[in-house]
């Protein structure tokens, strides 16, 4: 006797709920997210669909061994991923057309060659001057000795190299000691290689910049200027690294596979040269990594005088 009564009660309750919902729905229209009701009209939200898609980081065993617990962060979708661009050091127009072009077809990236080996990158700031890191010459000369310019060449494309007649280190030119200039014997004559304009503003946190990466495949990273603390952590194991007011710290990728900056790579802001990579990258997997750059704006006046000298 109790069971039929209980079943009858549950059935009556179900019928009442359906009738109540149906009656309320008849009075209040049901809409989906994105539909906008008329002003003053009540409505129900009947469906909310949300997708959360993090960046699919996969940490390899060898990279996990290099992870620093003190600076480890969780990889998230805010990470800026370097975009691959075409190899600008090409021999002919046909090769250029074979890949997707970046926004600018002309470039100013040069390679410094020492005894047939590429050792650094640099930026063409005039048709006879390449600006790069002074540390590019540290391994080829003894301390306090000037490098032999005849041992170096500058590569503008795969088919064109230029002899170097002079190497101007920072202390010799009143520019900072972390920068160097390679003076070419003849002006660069290549329609695809043009000098880059020097930075016209003082950068600081959190200005947007483009970080060029020349290791392996040429690519770039759209990133920002960050505090020096990140660079101090990145280079903490290198006792020869020092940070001064003449440097900028730019955020590099938090994956080792994406950290491809080398000495002499440059930093652009609004298509102007604002930084030269001094030491190359020393990234740790999963950390907030920073690269140190010589601040070009701080020595712009001195560089302009040198450009006029070799014009």
């Amino acid at each position: 006797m109790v069971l039929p009564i209980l079943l009858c009660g549950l059935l009556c309750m179900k019928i009442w709920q359906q009738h109540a919902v149906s009656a309320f729905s008849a009075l209040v229209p049901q809409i989906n997210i994105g539909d906008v009701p008329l002003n003053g009209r009540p409505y129900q939200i009947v469906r909310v669909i949300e997708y959360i898609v993090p960046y699919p980081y996969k940490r390899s065993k060898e990279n996990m061994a290099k992870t620093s617990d003190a600076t480890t962060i969780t990889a998230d979708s805010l990470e800026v991923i370097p975009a691959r661009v075409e190899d600008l050091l090409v021999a002919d127009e046909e090769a250029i057309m074979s890949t997707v072009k970046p926004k600018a077809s002309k470039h100013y990236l040069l390679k410094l060659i020492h005894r047939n080996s590429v050792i650094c990158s640099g930026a063409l700031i005039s048709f006879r001057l390449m600006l790069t890191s002074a540390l590019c010459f540290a391994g080829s000369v003894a301390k306090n000795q000037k490098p032999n310019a005849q041992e170096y060449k500058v590569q503008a494309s795969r088919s064109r190299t230029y002899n170097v007649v002079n190497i101007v280190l920072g202390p010799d030119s009143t520019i900072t000691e972390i920068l160097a200039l390679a003076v070419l014997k003849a002006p660069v004559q290549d329609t695809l290689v043009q000098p880059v304009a020097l930075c016209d503003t003082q950068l600081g946190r959190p200005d947007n910049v483009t970080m060029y990466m020349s290791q392996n495949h040429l690519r770039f990273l759209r990133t920002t200027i960050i505090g020096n603390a990140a660079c101090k952590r990145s280079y903490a194991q290198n006792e020869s690294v020092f940070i001064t007011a003449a440097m900028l710290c730019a955020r590099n990728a938090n994956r080792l596979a994406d950290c491809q900056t080398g000495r002499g790579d440059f930093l652009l802001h609004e298509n102007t040269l604002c930084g030269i990579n001094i030491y190359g990258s020393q990234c740790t997997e999963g950390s907030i990594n920073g690269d140190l750059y010589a601040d070009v704006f701080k020595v712009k006046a001195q560089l302009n005088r040198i450009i006029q000298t070799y014009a």
Side-chain angles (χ1 to χ4, degrees), residues 59 63-73 233 237 284-287:
R59 300 174 65 181
N63 288 342
M64 291 180 64
K66 299 181 180 180
T67 302
S68 172
D69 294 336
T71 59
T72 298
I73 61 172
R233 289 193 297 269
Q237 303 301 319
T284 301
E285 180 75 15
S287 296

Side-chain angles (χ1 to χ4, degrees), residues 132-139 169-171 176-180 276-278:
T132 187
S133 169
L135 270 70
C136 295
F137 305 98
L169 297 176
T176 176
E177 61 183 358
I178 53 180
L179 286 173
I276 293 291
N277 195 297
I278 307 167

Side-chain angles (χ1 to χ4, degrees), residues 28 35 39 95 116 120 128 134 136 146 214 218 228 235 242 247 263:
V28 182
D35 299 328
N39 289 337
N116 299 322
C120 282
R128 289 192 61 202
C136 295
K146 190 172 182 178
S214 67
L218 178 63
N228 287 342
Y235 296 94
F242 58 93
M247 300 179 186
R263 293 176 180 176

